[in-house]
Amino acid sequence: MGEDWTARFAALEGMAPGVRDTLRARSSVATLPAGAQVFGPGRKAENLLLLLEGTVRVQQLSAEGREIVLYRIHAGESCVLTTACLLADESYSAEGIAETRAVAAMIPRAAFDDLVATSPEFRQFVFQAYARRIAELFATIEEIAFRRLDIRLAQKLLELAPAGGVLRTTHAQLAAELGSAREVISRQLGEFQRRGWVELSRGEVRLADRAALAALAATP
Amino acid sequence: MGEDWTARFAALEGMAPGVRDTLRARSSVATLPAGAQVFGPGRKAENLLLLLEGTVRVQQLSAEGREIVLYRIHAGESCVLTTACLLADESYSAEGIAETRAVAAMIPRAAFDDLVATSPEFRQFVFQAYARRIAELFATIEEIAFRRLDIRLAQKLLELAPAGGVLRTTHAQLAAELGSAREVISRQLGEFQRRGWVELSRGEVRLADRAALAALAATP
DNA sequence: GGCCTTCGGTGACCTCGTCACCGAAGGCCG
DNA sequence: CGGCCTTCGGTGACGAGGTCACCGAAGGCC
């Protein structure tokens, strides 16, 4: 915590010194273990999070126990959407889970409010984050409604796979990513394997032919 | 325009006089005809809209010409989501259409920015609108992904039908409401008609048994 | 009345989700 | 080590929903 975390946050780069001073003075840096619930239905958070390291998965849990991944917060992004609920005193139905060890700056509600009031750049930063997330949600709705599942699965595999090309995840988790069912994902992955595009083993998917997957993912 | 429109806007009721003075002084009231595009991909709006009368339909247009209705802005609500894009200088893929004649207060970007800076209540108002809309979008995603179409159709019919129970709309429009296909809606409406729940004629759906539709809509 | 556009109905077929099972893989513990 | 339990994935059958191709009916417009 001794170092200046505001220097590591690209979006704050160009901000007036006063903003960064306020952030440094009035916020703290927290580390969350992988798997920790960052926010959720039963949790009354009081901080805006700026994610410095790691990723946070935001997912919606349905009443019948089904779940769907809505989006991810990556390092360098803020969690404004969920914070709006806190600022507005609204309860929240979705939850955020740290997928890896995550390091985040926690900005107390009052400090956030002050920054929004005093800094035009900070306002711009906040509204830009909103705008992008909303556009992303719109795109997600369109994809779920209209895009074929094999295409979406190929996209998701490419999006989630690390450099090595070995994705450690279960078919059930992939189904939750896409709002689909486990059996359907199993069958579709089986088809991909038959074509030599992936290799399957328990708990992992190895991408064997990224180009072929990308070609499918790019079909209009 | 001579009257004080801020008095008609419930959310502004409790605000400090200064806020309402600013709104009155720096904004104008515009009337839009039914069918007018309020905002859209090719349109660079410069105003935040507070809708005083009428409704605005927000829909996403896909590249292949398909469309899906995302949500509606009703009288008494603001259009913050789309405004975020303007404030953040982001381009916008969705469009807003006035469904009826619509009367809206137009707040210039600079005035909106000032209000967010100076009034804590106005900030709360803005963030609350965001939070609600986002929660609604999350719920929409869940419904599209998991809810049966007959249930969603029954819900939509009840939501859209006026007091008389006669809905003037085409099957294709209903399909766009639900992100489905025209043929599927036709078949489903045919089934509802066979059960005596609706009566169909060209360009209209008459709700004959609201209770039955509500019962279906309420199935978990 | 003739023409054109929009609207809705239909059958065939494909994709996707659901249900019911079952076996295989891996962890745990005696 | 063997036995047990949980998680994971594979499968067949079927139902719901989307797509394609086509066609006739309704209404608007000369």
Side-chain angles (χ1 to χ4, degrees), chain A:
Chain A
M1 219 191 299
E3 59 162 339
D4 177 10
W5 63 264
T6 66
R8 289 157 60 196
F9 209 84
L12 303 176
E13 204 84 41
M15 298 234 177
V19 174
R20 290 174 54 178
D21 290 345
T22 303
L23 284 171
R24 255 195 312 278
R26 297 178 62 183
S27 67
S28 57
V29 174
T31 300
L32 300 153
Q37 190 190 49
V38 181
F39 57 87
R43 183 176 287 249
K44 185 79 179 169
E46 273 301 310
N47 295 290
L48 166 69
L49 296 182
L50 298 186
L51 201 57
L52 301 170
E53 289 174 26
T55 63
V56 172
R57 183 178 71 239
V58 177
Q59 58 196 8
Q60 175 88 340
L61 305 171
S62 86
E64 299 89 39
R66 303 199 54 165
E67 69 184 60
I68 181 167
V69 175
L70 298 166
Y71 58 86
R72 284 185 166 71
I73 305 164
H74 299 280
E77 293 176 356
S78 68
C79 189
V80 266
L81 291 194
T82 57
T83 311
C85 299
L86 308 176
L87 291 175
D89 283 318
E90 295 272 323
S91 70
Y92 212 61
S93 59
E95 68 168 359
I97 304 286
E99 289 200 295
T100 60
R101 198 187 68 109
V103 180
M106 322 250 295
I107 306 174
R109 180 186 172 134
F112 177 80
D113 209 47
D114 286 353
L115 283 167
V116 170
T118 55
S119 166
E121 300 110 311
F122 194 79
R123 274 200 293 281
Q124 159 107 359
F125 164 67
V126 169
F127 284 114
Q128 201 161 72
Y130 272 90
R132 287 184 183 155
R133 200 59 87 189
I134 287 158
E136 216 177 281
L137 284 174
F138 285 2
T140 301
I141 289 177
E142 191 186 314
E143 294 244 307
I144 293 176
F146 300 134
R147 191 73 73 205
R148 289 176 52 99
L149 192 67
D150 51 354
I151 296 174
R152 296 205 293 134
L153 178 57
Q155 286 172 343
K156 195 51 88 174
L157 291 175
L158 291 167
E159 177 193 328
L160 296 179
V166 180
L167 227 169
R168 294 210 45 81
T169 183
T170 67
H171 297 187
Q173 280 175 294
L174 286 169
E177 291 283 340
L178 299 168
S180 175
R182 201 259 316 156
E183 300 91 317
V184 178
I185 299 297
S186 288
R187 273 193 268 264
Q188 199 62 61
L189 285 173
E191 176 60 26
F192 285 178
Q193 186 172 41
R194 230 161 291 128
R195 295 184 201 166
W197 297 356
V198 302
E199 287 155 27
L200 304 175
S201 51
R202 186 188 174 90
E204 80 179 39
V205 180
R206 187 182 311 267
L207 305 199
D209 188 347
R210 278 188 130 97
L213 289 169
L216 176 60
T219 51

Side-chain angles (χ1 to χ4, degrees), chain B residues 17-39:
Chain B
V19 174
R20 290 174 54 179
D21 291 344
T22 303
L23 283 171
R24 255 194 313 277
R26 298 178 61 182
S27 67
S28 57
V29 174
T31 299
L32 300 153
Q37 191 190 49
V38 182
F39 56 86

Side-chain angles (χ1 to χ4, degrees), chain B residues 67-138:
Chain B
E67 69 184 59
I68 181 166
V69 175
L70 298 165
Y71 58 87
R72 283 184 169 73
I73 306 164
H74 299 279
E77 294 176 356
S78 68
C79 189
V80 265
L81 291 195
T82 58
T83 310
C85 300
L86 308 175
L87 290 175
D89 283 317
E90 296 271 323
S91 69
Y92 211 60
S93 59
E95 67 168 359
I97 304 285
E99 289 201 295
T100 60
R101 198 187 68 107
V103 181
M106 322 250 294
I107 306 174
R109 181 187 171 132
F112 177 80
D113 209 46
D114 286 353
L115 282 167
V116 170
T118 54
S119 166
E121 299 112 312
F122 194 78
R123 275 200 293 280
Q124 159 108 358
F125 164 68
V126 169
F127 284 115
Q128 201 161 71
Y130 271 90
R132 288 185 182 153
R133 200 59 86 191
I134 288 157
E136 217 178 280
L137 283 174
F138 285 3

